[in-house]
Amino acid sequence: MRKWFILVGAVIVTAVIDQASKGWIVENLELYQSVQPIPTLAPFFQLTRSSNTGAAFGILPTAGNVFLLLAFLIIGIMLWHFRSAASGARLLPLATGIVIGGAIGNVIDRLQYGHVIDFIHYHIPGLVSNVSNLADHAIVGGVLLIIGESFLRERKLKTEAESAENKTGGSNE
């Protein structure tokens, strides 16, 4: 029951923070307007209000409804997988909740505005210029936590198996 409490809490907190940040952007910036909250980081980091009807990095801009359906499908798959997740996976409830909360944040945008509100603008001249939002960062961060925990759990199981094999006398050569 604890893992579900953590998951639901992470979903709610992530979605609320995402929507609050986007609400502030909508209230304070016109479309494509930029501000530099930390002037010494400009032009590398600034806030630029933008809209995205497609996927990350603006790819497939006319497929917004497909991404809306995909978000619901991915949320369902994650919840299905989560219910049978290993009880020893300590970060999994938090990480899964962060991913789902980010997905819900972007779903709310698509339903409310017909596009996703982006505003976190990273710019490295000649390399990358990307505008994203907190939901996107939550999704990426949550997925990295899931991968990291999976890797560490796999490594721990391998070490435990090797240790048990050494205690029983090794292999049968």
Side-chain angles (χ1 to χ4, degrees), residues 51-112:
S51 65
N52 182 359
T53 57
F57 309 108
I59 61 172
L60 302 172
T62 59
N65 290 336
V66 172
F67 293 116
L68 184 61
L69 293 173
L70 276 174
F72 284 117
L73 180 65
I74 290 168
I75 290 169
I77 290 169
M78 290 192 77
L79 288 171
W80 179 263
H81 177 324
F82 179 75
R83 66 183 191 85
S84 63
S87 60
R90 296 174 189 250
L91 286 177
L92 188 64
L94 177 64
T96 302
I98 290 170
V99 171
I100 292 172
I104 288 173
N106 283 341
V107 162
I108 291 169
D109 283 6
R110 289 187 192 281
L111 293 173
Q112 184 174 0

Side-chain angles (χ1 to χ4, degrees), residues 50-164:
S50 126
S51 65
N52 182 359
T53 57
F57 309 108
I59 61 172
L60 302 172
T62 59
N65 290 336
V66 172
F67 293 116
L68 184 61
L69 293 173
L70 276 174
F72 284 117
L73 180 65
I74 290 168
I75 290 169
I77 290 169
M78 290 192 77
L79 288 171
W80 179 263
H81 177 324
F82 179 75
R83 66 183 191 85
S84 63
S87 60
R90 296 174 189 250
L91 286 177
L92 188 64
L94 177 64
T96 302
I98 290 170
V99 171
I100 292 172
I104 288 173
N106 283 341
V107 162
I108 291 169
D109 283 6
R110 289 187 192 281
L111 293 173
Q112 184 174 0
Y113 303 109
H115 61 269
V116 173
I117 297 169
D118 287 335
F119 62 92
I120 301 170
H121 189 175
Y122 299 107
H123 179 75
I124 301 172
L127 187 60
V128 66
S129 183
N130 178 41
V131 184
S132 57
N133 59 50
L134 293 179
D136 298 337
H137 291 257
I139 292 167
V140 170
V143 167
L144 290 175
L145 283 173
I146 291 168
I147 291 168
E149 182 172 55
S150 176
F151 173 76
L152 291 174
R153 189 173 349 117
E154 198 63 35
R155 203 166 125 198
K156 180 181 175 188
L157 291 172
K158 182 179 178 186
T159 302
E160 289 172 355
E162 288 172 353
S163 177

